[in-house]
């Protein structure tokens, strides 16, 4: 029984121990109601409109309210795009400077995005800002993310 409880507590602690950005499937956070107004300031398109990035504000939790929404190829049988969220620590970011989003393209890698975000440090109970890099391969749908130092 003690081993089971230890394993349970270890699993519960995992999101708090996670570091860096994570790519997640879209869930309730991806609702259009979570795009802050004005929408024009919090959403951008790339690749002739095939790729859309949007900032999402879920309000809570306070340490992780900001998500990045990515709608992109590959397209499904019905013509819909894949839907992914990027957050941190098993939730969203503590902040995001969507107005500072930059994009580039490398034919060998795909679309490359850089975005300043705030991640929550559970050790200090404070957010800290770092830019993250996101590479989107539209052919495969692969999305890779990491923190830039």
């Amino acid at each position: 029984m003690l081993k089971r409880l230890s394993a349970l507590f270890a699993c519960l602690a995992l999101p708090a121990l996670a570091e860096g950005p994570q790519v997640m499937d879209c869930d309730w956070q991806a609702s259009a109601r979570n795009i802050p107004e004005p929408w024009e300031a919090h959403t951008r398109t790339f690749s002739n409109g095939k790729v859309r990035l949007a900032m999402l504000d879920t309000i809570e939790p306070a340490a992780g309210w900001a998500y990045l929404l990515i709608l992109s190829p590959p397209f499904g049988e019905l013509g819909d795009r894949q839907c992914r969220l990027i957050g941190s620590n098993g939730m969203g970011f503590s902040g995001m400077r969507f107005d500072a989003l930059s994009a580039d393209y490398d034919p060998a890698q795909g679309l490359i995005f850089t975005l300043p975000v705030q991640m929550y440090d559970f050790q200090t109970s404070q957010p800290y800002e770092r830019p993250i890099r996101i590479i989107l391969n539209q052919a495969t749908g692969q999305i890779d993310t990491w923190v830039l130092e």
Side-chain angles (χ1 to χ4, degrees):
M1 180 70 164
L2 187 56
K3 282 185 180 179
R4 268 193 210 159
L5 285 175
S6 296
L8 175 64
F9 288 125
C11 288
L12 291 174
L14 283 178
L17 297 175
E19 291 184 23
Q22 294 109 25
V23 179
M24 303 170 264
D25 288 332
C26 286
D27 203 350
W28 62 270
Q29 301 93 332
S31 173
R33 73 179 180 185
N34 292 328
I35 301 172
E37 295 286 352
W39 281 20
E40 306 81 42
H42 298 101
T43 182
R44 288 180 52 194
T45 60
F46 304 89
S47 189
N48 298 315
K50 292 183 215 156
V51 175
R52 177 174 298 277
L53 271 58
M55 177 181 170
L56 301 173
D57 180 352
T58 61
I59 302 169
E60 289 288 340
W65 57 268
Y67 291 84
L68 182 66
L69 171 74
I70 301 177
L71 299 174
S72 71
F75 293 94
E77 289 180 19
L78 300 175
D80 58 326
R81 297 174 282 186
Q82 76 169 348
C83 183
R84 298 291 183 265
L85 295 170
I86 298 182
S88 179
N89 292 313
M91 57 187 174
F93 299 104
S94 299
M96 180 182 299
R97 291 195 299 122
F98 192 78
D99 61 335
L101 172 70
S102 65
D104 200 0
Y105 178 71
D106 178 347
Q109 296 182 328
L111 283 168
I112 303 168
F113 303 102
T114 304
L115 178 65
V117 297
Q118 290 181 347
M119 289 178 272
Y120 193 76
D121 183 340
F122 287 92
Q123 301 286 349
T124 65
S125 300
Q126 295 294 318
Y128 61 96
E129 185 171 297
R130 294 282 188 280
I132 61 170
R133 175 74 39 92
I134 303 155
I135 297 181
L136 166 64
N137 181 322
Q138 294 179 71
T140 65
Q142 178 69 33
I143 300 172
D144 295 310
T145 65
W146 65 93
V147 176
L148 299 174
E149 292 301 323

